[in-house]
Amino acid sequence: MVTLAIDMMGGDDAPGIVLEAVEKALNDFPDLHIILFGDEKQCNIKHSRLEFRHCSEEIEMTDEPVRAIKRKKDSSMVKAAQAVKDGEASGCVSAGNTGALMSAGLFIVGRIKGVARPALVVTLPTVSGKGFTFLDVGANSDAKPEHLLQYAQLGNIYAEKIRGIGAPKVALLNIGTEPKKGNSLTKETYQLMSADTSFHFSGNVEAKTLMEDAADVVVTDGFTGNMVLKNLEGTAKSIGKMFKSTLLGSVKNKLAALILKKDLSEVMKKMDYAEYGGSVLLGLDGIVVKAHGSSNARAFYSAIRQAKIAGEERIVEIMRETVGEA
Amino acid sequence: MVTLAIDMMGGDDAPGIVLEAVEKALNDFPDLHIILFGDEKQCNIKHSRLEFRHCSEEIEMTDEPVRAIKRKKDSSMVKAAQAVKDGEASGCVSAGNTGALMSAGLFIVGRIKGVARPALVVTLPTVSGKGFTFLDVGANSDAKPEHLLQYAQLGNIYAEKIRGIGAPKVALLNIGTEPKKGNSLTKETYQLMSADTSFHFSGNVEAKTLMEDAADVVVTDGFTGNMVLKNLEGTAKSIGKMFKSTLLGSVKNKLAALILKKDLSEVMKKMDYAEYGGSVLLGLDGIVVKAHGSSNARAFYSAIRQAKIAGEERIVEIMRETVGEA
C-alpha cells in the first residue's frame, strides 16, 4: 500500500480536476491510499481508501512563495507537505504555486542529507514518443559543477526506477559535443561526470537534438534548463499556431484539415506534456510532485501515478543511500 | 559605392552558390563593387565591378580555427579579412568554418577600441514574419554583465541601421519577466540595462515568447544564446519531421498534403533562416558576415546584401563613435 497526500486546492481548474483524478486513481490502483487536503465544502467524492482533512486556507498563484509557506500554516499545500515530513505519506502532489511547492519541499519536507541542491526534473517528449528526463529546470539558477554531478546521479536513479529504463544514458547539455566545448561550468562538469562510475555518461548533447532521443537523462543548470524548457514549449506552440492558421485559412484547407484531423491529433498527443506526468523536486527526503498549473484531470492523474511509482520503487531511500552518502 | 571582399571557397556548396550569388548581387546593385578571393580555375564569372584575386589555399570545415588563420596566410578567408583590415573593403562575407571566420575577425580585422567582447548576432524568424535580432549566439561563452550591456548597445544600432527599425525595443533574455528573476548574471545585467539611456530597454523576455515578437533586440550570453538558437532550430526541425511523416503517412493524407502544399510552403518560408541573411560579428573594426555553412545561393545573396547595407549605413563608424567611446 502506498499513501499519498494530495493538495485539492492548487491549480487553475482545482478542485474539479483534482477530485476527478483522485477518484480515477483510487479506482484504478487497489493498493493506493490517499489523504486529501482542502475545503470540505468543495469535496464531493467518497471512497474507502480516501481520507479527507479539512484546511481553512489555500495558497494562491500570486502568493509570494516563502512567505506563503511560513504564514499559511493551515493551507492544503503546507498540510500535504507536512504529511510527507511526518511519514504519514510517502509523497505529495499539487498543481498549485510552483515556487510555494518548492519552498514547502525545501523547508517542510527537507533535503536528503548530503544533497547540496535539490533539482526540478521533468520528462519531455521526443519524436519517437520515448521522451527524456531533464534536470534541473529551475530549482537552482546559479549551479556549480558538483551540483550538476549530483543531478546526474539523481536523474539516473529517477530514469531507472520511475521510467523503467535499464542503464540510462546520462548526458550533459552543452553548446557542442566535443569535451572541450562550453562555458567554464560545463567544461568542469564534463570532467566530473566522466570520472563518476555510478552512471553511464554518454558525453555532451546539443539542444538541437533533444527531441531526437539523444539521451535518456540530460543534465544542466537551473537557468539553462528553465530557458530550454520554455523555449521548447514556446516554439512548439508558435509553430502549431502557424500550422493551425494555415489549416483554417481557406475552405479547401479546412477540407484537408478534416482528412488529417485524426492523425494530427496523434502527433499532438506525442507532444503533450500531460502524458509524461508532472515535475518532481529530486533530492528531498520525500516525494514532491508538481502537476502543471493548467493541468486537466488526465495530467493530474499522471502526476498521482508518478508519485505512486516513486513510492513503490522507494526512490527516496535509494537516493538517501547512494547520492546522500556520496 | 560599397566594396565587399567575398570568400569564394567557404561553405558546403562553394564555389557554385557563391558565384551565383555574387553575379546576382552585382546585377541587382549598381553601386556594389566586389573583390572575390579563391581558386582562379573555379571562377567562371566576369563583371566590370568584379575584381578577382587568386588564393593558393583554402580553410576547411575541419581545420582548427586559430591555427588555420595563422598558418594559411594565402587562404581565401584570410585574404578577404585582410582586405577589410587594409581598408580596401568595408566588409567581408564567407560561408566557411565559423570558428575560423570569428578568429579572422578578431585577429585580422580586430576589435573596435573600447568594445570588450565582440558578439555574434543573428536575425531569427517570428510568427508574424517580422523577426528579431538576437545576440550573442556564441562568440563568448563566459560573459559578464558589462559585456551584455555592450551587446545591447551594439544590437540596438544593428537593428536600427540594418533592419530599419525605429527606436528598437531591446530586451534581456531571462527565465522570468520580473526584474528580480534569473541568475546572478541576468540580475546584474538588468540593473545596468535599466540605467542606460542610449537605447530603449523593454525589460526581461522569456524564451517561450521569442517567436511572438516579444522584442526587436534580445540580449544574452554566448552560452545561453547558442543553446536557444540550436534549440529553436532543432525543435522546428523535429516538429516539421513529425508533421511531414503524418502528411505522407497514407494515400488520403497525401491528397490533403497536396491541397495544403502551397500554403504550407509559405509557412516554411517564414521559418527560413535564409530569408534573414547571415550572422554578423559585431564590435569589430569592419563588417564580417558569416553565411550559414549549408547556404544556397539565395542565402549567400542575402548575406551579401546585409554586408552592403552595413557598409552604406556606416555601422562600424557609428559603433566606434558611440559604443567604443562609452
Side-chain angles (χ1 to χ4, degrees):
Chain A
M1 187 70 75
V2 172
T3 301
L4 297 178
I6 310 279
D7 170 11
M8 190 179 105
M9 309 311 286
D12 300 344
D13 299 310
I17 60 110
V18 177
L19 292 167
E20 192 183 331
V22 163
E23 192 162 38
K24 181 169 162 53
L26 286 167
N27 289 333
D28 287 359
F29 308 121
D31 57 344
L32 176 65
H33 179 251
I34 283 178
I35 313 175
L36 188 61
F37 296 86
D39 176 11
E40 62 189 347
K41 276 175 288 188
Q42 296 186 64
C43 179
N44 58 9
I45 59 169
K46 280 206 166 147
H47 197 284
S48 60
R49 283 178 275 108
L50 176 67
E51 182 182 334
F52 187 82
R53 297 202 193 154
H54 177 69
C55 300
S56 63
E57 293 177 296
E58 74 181 88
I59 290 175
E60 312 284 344
M61 288 300 192
T62 50
D63 279 342
E64 196 284 310
V66 178
R67 198 176 346 183
I69 291 303
K70 292 197 170 155
R71 296 202 180 164
K72 293 188 169 176
K73 293 285 185 203
D74 198 40
S75 63
S76 51
M77 188 190 282
V78 166
K79 288 289 183 186
Q82 192 63 47
V84 178
K85 173 68 180 176
D86 297 343
E88 285 194 287
S90 61
C92 62
V93 182
S94 173
N97 186 319
T98 307
L101 187 63
M102 279 170 52
S103 301
L106 287 168
F107 300 125
I108 300 172
V109 179
R111 283 181 292 134
I112 292 174
K113 211 176 159 182
V115 171
R117 301 285 174 100
L120 199 60
V121 61
V122 290
T123 299
L124 294 180
T126 57
V127 170
S128 71
K130 189 184 174 195
F132 69 99
T133 296
F134 189 40
L135 75 168
D136 170 31
V137 297
N140 182 19
S141 289
D142 286 297
K144 298 198 171 113
E146 53 271 29
H147 301 150
L148 267 63
L149 178 65
Q150 281 197 332
Y151 299 168
Q153 296 163 346
L154 295 170
N156 179 56
I157 294 169
Y158 182 88
E160 199 173 332
K161 297 299 174 184
I162 308 288
R163 303 190 53 232
I165 298 167
K169 286 196 293 178
V170 182
L172 176 65
L173 185 64
N174 208 339
I175 54 173
T177 54
E178 306 88 333
K180 287 184 178 169
K181 281 278 182 172
N183 56 10
S184 49
L185 175 64
T186 56
K187 283 178 200 166
E188 277 184 56
T189 304
Y190 190 97
Q191 298 306 321
L192 293 181
M193 287 178 76
S194 298
D196 195 309
T197 55
S198 71
F199 56 86
H200 172 57
F201 180 46
S202 65
N204 290 326
V205 290
E206 290 187 85
K208 67 180 170 189
T209 54
L210 284 177
M211 286 184 69
E212 307 288 331
D213 298 302
D216 301 308
V217 179
V218 178
V219 170
T220 189
D221 66 279
F223 181 85
T224 308
N226 195 278
M227 191 67 79
V228 167
L229 175 66
K230 286 179 178 165
N231 194 39
L232 272 172
E233 289 180 331
T235 307
K237 199 177 266 183
S238 295
I239 293 174
K241 203 194 274 182
M242 287 166 83
F243 273 107
K244 199 175 172 186
S245 84
T246 301
L247 291 177
L248 303 175
S250 67
V251 175
K252 71 175 174 50
N253 286 7
K254 279 181 192 164
L255 184 76
L258 208 64
I259 298 174
L260 294 168
K261 197 176 176 186
K262 194 168 151 281
D263 290 342
L264 281 183
S265 75
E266 287 292 317
V267 173
M268 295 315 287
K269 204 177 159 186
K270 260 195 199 166
M271 295 294 302
D272 188 357
Y273 291 72
E275 292 288 317
Y276 295 85
S279 53
V280 181
L281 199 52
L282 285 187
L284 295 181
D285 217 357
I287 298 147
V288 176
V289 177
K290 168 70 176 74
H292 211 287
S294 58
S295 286
N296 54 21
R298 194 164 56 85
F300 201 91
Y301 171 86
S302 294
I304 294 175
R305 189 184 52 198
Q306 197 178 4
K308 179 178 173 285
I309 298 172
E312 282 164 356
E313 294 290 337
R314 307 177 65 78
I315 67 160
V316 172
E317 289 77 357
I318 295 171
M319 288 174 180
R320 207 183 284 143
E321 283 159 24
T322 55
V323 186
E325 299 285 354
Chain B
M1 187 71 73
V2 172
T3 301
L4 297 178
I6 309 278
D7 170 11
M8 189 178 105
M9 310 310 286
D12 300 343
D13 299 311
I17 59 110
V18 178
L19 292 167
E20 193 183 331
V22 163
E23 192 163 37
K24 180 169 161 55
L26 287 167
N27 289 334
D28 287 0
F29 308 120
D31 56 344
L32 176 64
H33 178 251
I34 283 178
I35 312 174
L36 188 61
F37 296 86
D39 175 12
E40 61 190 349
K41 275 176 290 188
Q42 296 185 64
C43 180
N44 58 10
I45 58 169
K46 280 205 166 147
H47 197 284
S48 59
R49 283 177 276 108
L50 175 68
E51 181 183 335
F52 186 82
R53 298 205 192 151
H54 177 68
C55 301
S56 63
E57 294 177 295
E58 75 181 88
I59 290 176
E60 313 283 345
M61 287 301 193
T62 51
D63 279 342
E64 197 283 310
V66 178
R67 198 177 347 185
I69 291 303
K70 292 198 172 156
R71 296 201 181 164
K72 293 186 169 177
K73 294 285 184 202
D74 197 40
S75 63
S76 52
M77 189 190 280
V78 166
K79 287 289 181 185
Q82 192 63 47
V84 178
K85 175 67 181 176
D86 296 342
E88 285 193 288
S90 62
C92 63
V93 182
S94 173
N97 187 320
T98 307
L101 187 62
M102 278 170 52
S103 302
L106 288 168
F107 300 126
I108 299 172
V109 179
R111 283 181 292 135
I112 292 174
K113 209 174 160 184
V115 170
R117 302 285 174 100
L120 200 59
V121 62
V122 290
T123 300
L124 294 179
T126 58
V127 169
S128 72
K130 188 184 175 195
F132 69 99
T133 295
F134 190 40
L135 74 167
D136 170 31
V137 297
N140 181 18
S141 289
D142 287 298
K144 298 197 172 116
E146 52 272 29
H147 301 150
L148 267 64
L149 178 65
Q150 281 199 331
Y151 300 169
Q153 296 163 345
L154 296 170
N156 179 57
I157 294 168
Y158 182 88
E160 199 173 331
K161 297 298 174 186
I162 308 289
R163 302 190 54 233
I165 298 167
K169 285 196 294 179
V170 182
L172 175 65
L173 184 64
N174 208 340
I175 55 173
T177 53
E178 305 88 334
K180 287 185 178 169
K181 282 277 181 173
N183 56 11
S184 49
L185 175 65
T186 55
K187 283 177 201 167
E188 278 184 57
T189 304
Y190 190 97
Q191 298 306 321
L192 293 182
M193 288 178 75
S194 298
D196 195 309
T197 55
S198 71
F199 55 88
H200 172 56
F201 179 47
S202 65
N204 289 325
V205 290
E206 291 187 84
K208 67 180 171 189
T209 53
L210 284 176
M211 286 182 68
E212 308 287 331
D213 298 302
D216 300 308
V217 178
V218 177
V219 171
T220 190
D221 66 280
F223 181 84
T224 307
N226 195 277
M227 190 67 79
V228 167
L229 175 66
K230 286 179 178 163
N231 194 39
L232 271 172
E233 288 179 331
T235 306
K237 200 178 265 182
S238 295
I239 293 174
K241 204 194 272 182
M242 288 166 82
F243 272 107
K244 197 174 172 186
S245 85
T246 300
L247 291 177
L248 302 175
S250 67
V251 175
K252 70 176 175 52
N253 287 6
K254 280 182 192 163
L255 184 75
L258 208 63
I259 297 174
L260 295 167
K261 200 175 174 185
K262 192 167 153 282
D263 290 342
L264 282 182
S265 75
E266 287 291 319
V267 173
M268 296 316 287
K269 204 177 158 186
K270 259 193 199 169
M271 296 293 302
D272 188 357
Y273 291 72
E275 293 287 318
Y276 295 86
S279 52
V280 181
L281 199 52
L282 286 187
L284 295 181
D285 217 357
I287 297 148
V288 176
V289 178
K290 167 71 176 72
H292 210 288
S294 58
S295 285
N296 54 21
R298 194 163 56 86
F300 202 91
Y301 171 86
S302 294
I304 294 175
R305 189 184 52 197
Q306 199 176 2
K308 178 179 174 285
I309 297 172
E312 283 165 354
E313 294 290 337
R314 308 177 63 79
I315 67 161
V316 172
E317 287 78 357
I318 295 171
M319 288 174 181
R320 205 184 283 143
E321 283 159 24
T322 56
V323 187
E325 300 285 355

